[in-house]
Amino acid sequence: MTDSFYRRAVSFTNARLWKLVHIDVLLMGSLLLLIGGGLFILYSASGQNVAMVERQVFRLAIGLLVCLALAQLPPKYMRRASPALFIFITVLLIGVLLFGVGAKGAQRWLALPGGLRFQPSEIMKIVMPMMIAWYFSDRHLPPNLKHILTVLSLIVLPVLIIAKQPDLGTALLVAVSGIFVLFLAGLRWRYILGAAALAPIAGYALWQFMHDYQRQRVLTFLNPESDPLGAGWNIIQSKTAIGSGGLYGKGWLEGTQAQLDFLPESHTDFIIAVLAEEFGMLGCSILILAYLLVIARGLYISATAADNYARLLAGSLTLTFFVYMFVNIGMVSGILPVVGVPLPLVSYGGTSIITIMATFGILMSIQTHKKAR
Amino acid sequence: MVSRRHQNFRNYRQEQKLTQRRVFASALFVLLLAVVLIARLFYLQVIEHQLYQTKADDNRVMLVTEPPPRGLIYDRNGVVLADNRPIHSLTVIPERVSNFPRLQQMLSGIIDISDSEWEDFDDRLKEYRRPYQSLTLKSQLTDEEWARISVDLYKLDGVQVEAQLTRYYPFGEAFAHAIGYVGRITSKDLERVDRQAYQGALFIGKTGVEGFYEKTLFGEAGLSKVEVNARGRIMSELERQNPTPGKDLYLYLDARLQQYAYDLLGDYTGSVVAIDPTTGGILALVSKPGYDPNLFVRGISVKNYALLRQSKKLPLFNRALRGGYPPASTIKPFMGLAGLEYGFASWTERYFAKGYYQINPDGRRYRDWKRTGHGWINLERSIIESVDTYYYQLANKMGITPIHNFLTRFGFGQSNLLDLYGESNGLLPSSEWKKAKYREPWYSGDSVNVGIGQGFMVATPLQMASATSALASKGHYFYPRMTQLIGGQPAEFENGLGDEHDIVLKDQRNWDRMTDAMRKVITDSQGTARRLQGTEYDIAGKTGTGQVFSLQEDEEYDSEKLEKRLHDHALFIGFAPAKIPKIAVFAIFENGGSSSKPADLTGQLFNAYLHDDYPERYDYLKGNKND
């Protein structure tokens, strides 16, 4: 019976229908698992704010629509559009720098007619790997030094603009999304090791150029207890939430750190601490496993993609998604400095849900437009 | 770029292999980093779990204390001397105030809040406090202020009217030195009490009975464990322990007697202490002038405090406990008993009293108050007429050591009070003391001076009263005490004293004989307190006139020419009824001149106490004497 269930499951995932509507069942399944779990945590983290959960569902639904729409678009059109898109978004970024509207001291949005606002840096997370993948799509791999330098120069401009907004988290993600393409394209290990060896020197140089408040931020990361009421507060409280959760957690809606507001930004960047407190290490492990399922499927799609462009793009998008998750959990649990990176698909709000769902649309397109062998 | 295309030569298969290998390497990285995350979570959630569990609990659980109602203080007849009174105070929760200047402006349109009240508030704002703890802005609102505030309360964010119990002393200044007062807790006070218990308490006992019995009166603070959120707001109560109210005290003090004695001092500064010789209980402990203890309860203003501090009459000085006075002639009965005890005097022996006494035939003349002398007298006469020369020669014969030893048994030179702080030791000199203090031997002249209660000797009113009480009870020396009942139980004293010790004389009949002599101070036609004649009961007493400064050998004391502050102190000790004494009194009028003033006062106190013979205006202090 198990055998027949398994066979039916395989035939379900392989059904022609899915191919027809360009849905990858395994990827979609693990995504829905992640999203469903995330809504549970959000309900608790938002202080049982149903309206907030509803808005999140609405946002996810739009993301899902974007995902499905992009899945219908064959990769070859994406590839052709890549350079134009890249130039267009870069111009928009410059526009933001010049005419953007701000919130909380940052200038990230372009105001559109009709009161809409638009954040080009988000789209750059997708367009950047598209551009680099396009660049490598008709060149010999592995890249030589000239290609590497060309690619790096393509990466630097948008990243600098985004960093200036300032939006360090997005700048970081845009940069890695480009560098991942470079890596997947076969960037020689000796370059990678060389760069790693240069990192301390670069770090020292950076330290010399940093503002005092930036240095302070680094120092606070290294020793959060040194500033327990200021910058260290967040990280101390999130570690306390995570640690007090223990192996099995305090139970849903029972986390005192989260429910009594000790946890800052509990429904956005620090939402994993709520999960860790209420569901313990067990809950966290399940969540991380769900992420790994998504990532595994993404890497599989990348590995089996039809051409270099698709391979590089799919791989980079998947790895960037992983970086999202790793940086967020790393920062909340205190092994990485605090940069504003949400937990993908779980943290409340942000344009990021749409972009992230868009990347999965691209992945599905790559998977479902392969010619049958 | 375009020209450099080498598509035809590309090895697609090899490039695919390369990128697939990189995807595979990425997968390994992803796994590795996922393991790092899981390891980090394991470290926090399993290995360090206990630490963070404690931290989380410390975060959310806060102990809140609730001050208990303070015990009341009653006099012996159930008159409340220290009361708790509900007051309404205007308090502010700073966290809820969005705009202080605006609030200040709105409030000033409703009630008067003085600049100093705002300043006090600002000061308290800077001190440590719990979040969301309210701070008093104006205490003791009048009913009108309360009503006006209540109308507009809804408009005033963060402002509330809180009902609190505050200490109230209904009878004011006459009782201040006995009862003491409570005042606002200072950081210094917090060093000697349990900080936690006093959290939220408004005041603490500072002086008098309030200070000594602080622990008893305070009771035990209620404790509740509450769950608070990150902003300190209380979300729920987890555990609760109700406060235990402080215990009530019943004093020996008689409120009517106390007030009467205070009033009888008139415009003089001075002190009156009355003791029940059968218990050592203090019936009156008066130090005049007093002050209004209510001024201190919520923190006295700088201006009022300065007024009290700078007053020449020293209203803050507790004369009853700390005033050092020469006992003067009131020491004579004790000196007489000492002479009898050590065989230097006898009832029968006669002595010719000239107008002066000389140690050596051509030495200094120690003069008697009666310049012509008293003629042939005996010990009894020496008491009745207060013959100085008799005591000059007696003291000179005895020397200081027997005097010191004997007077020590009556409590001179030491602090004996069981339940008030700050009693001074007075000074009962000895040759050792003089050597240590002045590096000089004890001279006969020193003894001669001590013989009439002058010279080095200094006693406090309380010491004089309790020595008199011991005399009255024929050698039962009770340590003086304020408190009869604590929470309905007889008071017990921590230092293990509290019982009397007996002063046993070689001839116990000397107690009666001395009492007789002191009775004749009133009844004899030559007695120095003849004016007290005519009571239905016998009074035993002794007058005294204490020199404020020493007259030169041939100088005349002329009160007309002396500034008032140099006038002699007028003293009196007495007890009544002489046979079975119920009350012993010491009274001193500073610079009162003639000892008739304290004698009259004592007589009136005896009448009042023994025959309930008070002027009607003291009826409000009567209490309900039902025991």
Side-chain angles (χ1 to χ4, degrees):
Chain A
M1 187 185 153
T2 337
D3 187 43
S4 81
F5 176 78
Y6 175 74
R7 215 174 298 161
R8 258 193 288 165
V10 168
S11 71
F12 175 76
T13 54
N14 286 342
R16 295 187 64 85
L17 171 73
W18 298 124
K19 192 107 185 167
L20 217 63
V21 293
H22 300 287
I23 288 177
D24 180 64
V25 175
L26 286 178
L27 184 58
M28 187 56 91
S30 22
L31 277 176
L32 290 177
L33 192 74
L34 196 57
I35 289 168
L39 288 174
F40 256 87
I41 310 170
L42 180 64
Y43 179 69
S44 174
S46 65
Q48 292 150 57
N49 186 335
V50 178
M52 201 181 262
V53 176
E54 278 172 355
R55 280 198 296 276
Q56 178 85 341
V57 169
F58 178 72
R59 220 173 266 133
L60 285 165
I62 296 205
L64 220 53
L65 284 179
V66 171
C67 169
L68 292 177
L70 273 176
Q72 314 308 314
L73 187 71
K76 61 179 177 195
Y77 296 120
M78 295 182 195
R79 188 187 52 172
R80 282 180 203 157
S82 294
L85 267 175
F86 180 78
I87 292 164
F88 179 61
I89 300 297
T90 306
V91 168
L92 285 186
L93 277 175
I94 296 169
V96 169
L97 209 58
L98 297 178
F99 317 109
V101 291
K104 288 191 208 164
Q107 193 167 322
R108 298 174 188 173
W109 290 275
L110 269 187
L112 295 185
L116 290 172
R117 296 204 298 185
F118 171 65
Q119 192 177 340
S121 57
E122 271 301 326
I123 300 180
M124 194 46 115
K125 285 181 198 161
I126 297 174
V127 175
M128 175 63 78
M130 284 172 91
M131 175 67 200
I132 314 294
W134 171 84
Y135 180 81
F136 284 127
S137 63
D138 51 2
R139 284 184 173 79
H140 273 305
L141 298 184
N144 59 28
L145 193 59
K146 194 192 94 188
H147 293 327
I148 295 169
L149 291 176
T150 311
V151 163
L152 285 179
S153 67
L154 285 175
I155 295 173
V156 160
L157 180 67
V159 167
L160 279 184
I161 295 173
I162 296 168
K164 189 145 180 14
Q165 288 181 349
D167 187 352
L168 231 52
T170 307
L172 174 88
L173 287 165
V174 169
V176 297
S177 69
I179 287 168
F180 279 143
V181 180
L182 200 54
F183 172 75
L184 293 169
L187 180 68
R188 300 223 182 264
W189 289 104
R190 58 170 176 267
Y191 290 130
I192 297 172
L193 294 176
L198 282 175
I201 300 166
Y204 178 77
L206 200 62
W207 182 261
Q208 298 302 316
F209 282 105
M210 267 195 237
H211 291 289
D212 275 346
Y213 77 92
Q214 288 168 322
R215 288 182 189 174
Q216 193 52 49
R217 211 189 261 190
V218 175
L219 291 175
T220 304
F221 159 65
L222 294 173
N223 180 18
E225 278 75 10
S226 70
D227 184 16
L229 291 177
W233 165 267
N234 290 9
I235 199 66
I236 290 172
Q237 296 303 337
S238 75
K239 274 162 72 181
T240 302
I242 297 170
S244 65
L247 209 47
Y248 303 107
K250 300 174 184 172
W252 192 42
L253 306 179
E254 301 286 332
T256 55
Q257 286 285 106
Q259 304 301 332
L260 297 170
D261 295 340
F262 286 98
L263 203 54
E265 299 176 53
S266 60
H267 60 280
T268 56
D269 288 359
F270 283 75
I271 197 166
I272 181 79
V274 179
L275 174 79
E277 189 183 18
E278 301 193 341
F279 294 95
M281 194 184 157
L282 197 71
C284 289
S285 305
I286 291 172
L287 181 86
I288 292 175
L289 208 67
Y291 275 113
L292 290 182
L293 275 179
V294 172
I295 289 158
R297 186 61 184 169
L299 290 180
Y300 173 83
I301 290 171
S302 163
T304 57
D307 55 39
N308 279 354
Y309 176 78
R311 219 164 17 244
L312 296 179
L313 179 58
S316 167
L317 290 176
T318 308
L319 289 177
T320 306
F321 179 73
F322 170 74
V323 167
Y324 251 115
M325 165 237 178
F326 181 78
V327 169
N328 178 273
I329 300 181
M331 113 188 156
V332 174
S333 64
I335 53 175
L336 291 178
V338 175
V339 279
V341 173
L343 187 63
L345 300 181
V346 176
S347 283
Y348 175 76
T351 339
S352 75
I353 283 181
I354 313 284
T355 4
I356 288 165
M357 290 308 287
T359 66
F360 292 113
I362 293 169
L363 282 172
M364 286 187 203
S365 160
I366 288 169
Q367 176 65 8
T368 56
H369 285 93
K370 276 192 293 203
K371 292 194 173 66
R373 299 199 172 187
Chain B
M1 260 204 219
V2 179
S3 62
R4 291 260 188 110
R5 284 185 182 174
H6 306 288
Q7 275 171 337
N8 294 335
F9 311 108
R10 285 175 75 177
N11 186 338
Y12 286 103
R13 190 88 198 129
Q14 202 182 342
E15 288 187 11
Q16 186 187 16
K17 277 257 155 43
L18 171 66
T19 49
Q20 279 175 342
R21 272 202 310 276
R22 285 298 168 101
V23 169
F24 185 70
S26 309
L28 286 182
F29 272 123
V30 165
L31 265 180
L32 183 74
L33 291 176
V35 167
V36 168
L37 285 185
I38 301 269
R40 175 63 176 172
L41 291 172
F42 183 79
Y43 175 75
L44 291 176
Q45 300 195 288
V46 177
I47 295 175
E48 300 234 279
H49 170 64
Q50 206 52 52
L51 168 76
Y52 288 112
Q53 180 65 56
T54 313
K55 277 193 178 186
D57 282 343
D58 285 350
N59 262 349
R60 81 187 168 98
V61 177
M62 194 169 73
L63 287 174
V64 177
T65 46
E66 185 185 335
R70 194 174 178 84
L72 303 183
I73 302 175
Y74 296 94
D75 87 334
R76 63 192 296 113
N77 300 318
V79 177
V80 180
L81 302 177
D83 202 356
N84 293 331
R85 221 166 56 154
I87 52 154
H88 290 94
S89 298
L90 189 67
T91 63
V92 174
I93 297 172
E95 280 84 352
R96 301 224 176 111
V97 178
S98 47
N99 186 340
F100 264 107
R102 208 172 69 98
L103 177 71
Q104 187 162 359
Q105 197 189 341
M106 284 175 75
L107 276 175
S108 63
I110 303 168
I111 58 168
D112 260 356
I113 296 173
S114 68
D115 287 346
S116 74
E117 277 166 326
W118 277 110
E119 280 161 26
D120 284 356
F121 179 80
D122 286 340
D123 288 346
R124 264 168 274 166
L125 202 55
K126 285 172 205 145
E127 288 167 18
Y128 172 79
R129 64 190 183 90
R130 285 193 268 118
Y132 282 89
Q133 189 186 353
S134 62
L135 290 180
T136 303
L137 174 56
K138 185 182 181 72
S139 58
Q140 305 190 29
L141 298 176
T142 63
D143 286 350
E144 196 202 326
E145 286 170 331
W146 181 24
R148 288 167 67 173
I149 275 287
S150 301
V151 172
D152 289 321
L153 209 51
Y154 72 98
K155 283 191 268 182
L156 303 163
D157 285 342
V159 174
Q160 50 190 17
V161 174
E162 274 182 66
Q164 295 161 322
L165 281 181
T166 192
R167 203 56 154 177
Y168 177 62
Y169 303 103
F171 309 123
E173 59 179 41
F175 295 79
H177 285 293
I179 309 304
Y181 57 82
V182 298
R184 202 152 77 206
I185 301 166
T186 63
S187 48
K188 216 174 163 190
D189 292 324
L190 285 174
E191 283 164 21
R192 61 186 170 90
V193 296
D194 178 4
R195 258 167 199 276
Q196 183 80 42
Y198 277 82
Q199 204 183 67
L202 295 174
F203 38 65
I204 189 168
K206 300 272 187 183
T207 63
V209 173
E210 291 274 33
F212 188 89
Y213 286 103
E214 172 55 29
K215 256 181 134 171
T216 311
L217 291 165
F218 182 77
E220 265 180 63
L223 262 188
S224 55
K225 266 189 178 176
V226 294
E227 193 172 67
V228 294
N229 70 7
R231 282 176 298 285
R233 182 166 328 194
I234 293 171
M235 308 301 279
S236 65
E237 192 174 63
L238 306 173
E239 245 179 80
R240 178 182 179 79
Q241 192 190 330
N242 284 320
T244 312
K247 288 177 181 160
D248 294 343
L249 299 182
Y250 276 81
L251 304 183
Y252 284 99
L253 207 72
D254 187 309
R256 268 196 302 177
L257 194 69
Q258 172 88 8
Q259 184 70 53
Y260 194 25
Y262 189 82
D263 294 347
L264 286 173
L265 277 169
D267 290 333
Y268 284 92
T269 58
S271 174
V272 178
V273 178
I275 291 181
D276 177 352
T278 63
T279 58
I282 294 171
L283 301 171
L285 188 83
V286 171
S287 172
K288 189 162 188 171
Y291 53 88
D292 182 2
N294 292 306
L295 290 176
F296 288 83
V297 174
R298 305 289 304 220
I300 187 167
S301 72
V302 175
K303 195 185 110 208
N304 281 332
Y305 193 61
L307 278 176
L308 288 174
R309 282 290 296 255
Q310 287 156 14
S311 165
K312 287 214 170 94
K313 290 190 159 189
L314 305 178
L316 293 174
F317 180 60
N318 192 334
R319 292 172 163 80
L321 300 187
R322 302 192 59 79
Y325 302 100
S329 297
T330 59
I331 203 70
K332 284 173 182 165
F334 305 96
M335 289 295 300
L337 285 174
L340 291 165
E341 183 69 9
Y342 295 107
F344 294 98
S346 78
W347 291 104
T348 51
E349 203 179 310
R350 278 155 48 91
Y351 167 80
F352 187 79
K354 294 181 286 184
Y356 59 89
Y357 172 75
Q358 285 170 302
I359 300 172
N360 303 308
D362 46 355
R364 174 188 164 145
R365 290 182 170 192
Y366 294 89
R367 293 154 58 128
D368 197 284
W369 65 269
K370 195 172 179 182
R371 304 205 67 181
T372 55
H374 302 264
W376 284 102
I377 55 146
N378 58 13
L379 174 56
E380 189 180 63
R381 277 279 129 201
S382 76
I383 295 286
I384 299 169
E385 298 184 25
S386 198
V387 182
D388 290 341
T389 49
Y390 184 90
Y391 292 92
Y392 291 145
Q393 58 91 21
L394 176 61
N396 188 29
K397 275 197 280 177
M398 270 200 283
I400 190 62
T401 304
I403 297 175
H404 178 90
N405 291 347
F406 191 74
L407 291 187
T408 299
R409 290 151 83 181
F410 286 84
F412 289 106
Q414 54 204 292
S415 145
N416 299 302
L417 179 53
L418 291 178
D419 53 359
L420 287 181
Y421 294 123
E423 186 199 8
S424 126
N425 285 334
L427 176 58
L428 180 57
S430 65
S431 52
E432 292 79 20
W433 165 81
K434 195 181 173 196
K435 193 158 240 162
K437 172 103 181 176
Y438 294 107
R439 298 174 184 282
E440 263 187 64
W442 186 266
Y443 299 121
S444 302
D446 297 331
S447 301
V448 169
N449 277 327
V450 168
I452 59 157
Q454 298 280 174
F456 293 122
M457 184 161 183
V458 170
T460 66
L462 181 76
Q463 278 173 341
M464 289 304 302
S466 70
T468 306
S469 163
L471 195 61
S473 64
K474 301 176 183 31
H476 294 308
Y477 183 85
F478 290 92
Y479 292 92
R481 65 204 63 197
M482 294 294 291
T483 308
Q484 258 185 96
L485 300 173
I486 298 173
Q489 300 296 313
E492 283 174 20
F493 298 96
E494 282 172 20
N495 55 12
L497 299 171
D499 295 329
E500 81 260 39
H501 67 75
D502 285 342
I503 303 164
V504 182
L505 302 180
K506 278 184 188 137
D507 184 349
Q508 284 288 98
R509 285 174 302 176
N510 285 337
W511 291 117
D512 288 329
R513 287 177 175 159
M514 187 53 76
T515 302
D516 264 355
M518 289 172 72
R519 238 175 28 161
K520 289 180 184 160
V521 169
I522 287 100
T523 57
D524 191 276
S525 61
Q526 296 300 309
T528 51
R530 303 185 285 282
R531 52 198 302 131
L532 292 187
Q533 284 171 6
T535 50
E536 289 167 33
Y537 47 87
D538 286 338
I539 297 173
K542 182 72 196 79
T543 56
T545 307
Q547 289 172 3
V548 174
F549 69 105
S550 298
L551 290 174
Q552 293 305 305
E553 199 174 342
D554 294 309
E555 218 174 340
E556 289 273 346
Y557 176 85
D558 183 350
S559 61
E560 302 284 308
K561 287 183 187 162
L562 282 171
E563 281 182 66
K564 173 128 192 236
R565 66 183 174 81
L566 296 175
H567 283 195
D568 288 345
H569 294 327
L571 297 74
F572 188 80
I573 61 170
F575 53 89
K579 287 260 155 48
I580 320 147
K582 288 182 177 159
I583 177 170
V585 168
F586 169 81
I588 178 168
F589 284 62
E590 283 186 16
N591 315 115
S594 155
S595 59
S596 61
K597 290 187 188 83
D600 289 346
L601 176 145
T602 305
Q604 273 163 293
L605 290 189
F606 287 162
N607 274 338
Y609 187 72
L610 297 173
H611 288 308
D612 215 25
D613 183 12
Y614 289 94
E616 223 172 85
R617 65 176 185 277
Y618 294 104
D619 281 356
Y620 73 103
L621 285 168
K622 224 167 154 178
N624 41 349
K625 213 173 204 166
N626 47 14
D627 51 333

